[in-house]
Amino acid sequence: MLIAFNKPYGVLCQFTDRSEPPRPTLAGFGLPPDVYAAGRLDHDSEGLLLLTEDGGLAHRLTDPRHKQPKTYWVQVEGEPNEEQLAALRCGVVLNDGPTRPTDAARIAAPALWPRDPPVRFRKTVPDAWLQLTLGEGRNRQVRRMTAAVGLPTLRLVRVAIGGVRVDGLAPGAWRLVAP
């Protein structure tokens, strides 16, 4: 079984939380029993999360050797220029080493669900949207990459993993997909 879930902002990619006060987890969304997240999405990121009860499938979905590209829509602070986009495309050097080359393009603001809480709007600071497709998945990688080129991330939404897309799923909704 493979489940596509649209993870809302502020939800942890686990079913329990021992912190006080407890934070929202996957347990509150009526998911089938015995599934777990195949990969992670930070609590302050939104969008597609795949879940399965099949350990082998989870490994194939998350292991970089199987090259499941992950596509993100990223709202950044600032106006990206061609040098910044070229740096993202070539790969940037982070504190844990260089990233692999990335597909990076500026896009029009996508039609997305409202985020709660909303991204802070500042009249004097422009923002823009990028689409990034990565073949690896390090901790907070997209945020670190955009910051490294001078474009801090304001909102991060994963829209696809391989051929599975979040299209048509409201935040907190899920559906079965063919593995």
Side-chain angles (χ1 to χ4, degrees):
M1 170 179 9
L2 183 62
I3 294 171
F5 174 66
N6 187 349
K7 187 191 89 60
Y9 178 89
V11 173
L12 298 177
C13 287
Q14 55 200 43
F15 284 88
T16 59
D17 182 35
R18 294 186 182 148
S19 65
E20 286 298 327
R23 298 166 291 184
T25 68
L26 298 176
F29 296 95
L31 292 158
D34 302 322
V35 297
Y36 54 92
R40 301 191 58 80
L41 201 53
D42 295 326
H43 80 283
D44 55 352
S45 299
E46 313 161 65
L48 183 62
L49 181 68
L50 298 179
L51 298 102
T52 183
E53 83 289 5
D54 181 337
L57 177 57
H59 177 74
R60 288 189 303 278
L61 290 168
T62 58
D63 190 318
R65 289 176 291 177
H66 296 288
K67 303 209 186 322
Q68 290 296 319
K70 296 172 184 76
T71 302
Y72 300 85
W73 288 341
V74 189
Q75 184 182 19
V76 295
E77 183 177 287
E79 286 285 339
N81 60 42
E82 191 51 43
E83 287 178 12
Q84 291 165 311
L85 291 173
L88 291 169
R89 290 180 192 121
C90 292
V92 297
V93 177
L94 303 176
N95 61 357
D96 56 351
T99 65
R100 292 182 182 168
T102 302
D103 287 339
R106 184 164 181 179
I107 59 171
L112 288 171
W113 52 87
R115 193 185 89 172
D116 185 25
V119 172
R120 187 177 89 178
F121 174 74
R122 297 181 358 203
K123 281 194 275 188
T124 59
V125 179
D127 64 69
W129 284 88
L130 304 176
Q131 178 172 292
L132 301 178
T133 301
L134 284 68
E136 61 183 338
R138 299 188 210 172
N139 185 38
R140 300 184 71 80
Q141 181 176 350
V142 171
R143 292 175 188 280
R144 294 189 299 140
M145 288 176 70
T146 61
V149 299
L151 299 167
T153 294
L154 300 172
R155 186 174 183 188
L156 179 60
V157 180
R158 183 161 57 199
V159 294
I161 300 172
V164 180
R165 296 192 57 86
V166 75
D167 300 344
L169 282 176
W174 57 274
R175 69 172 173 259
L176 292 173
V177 295

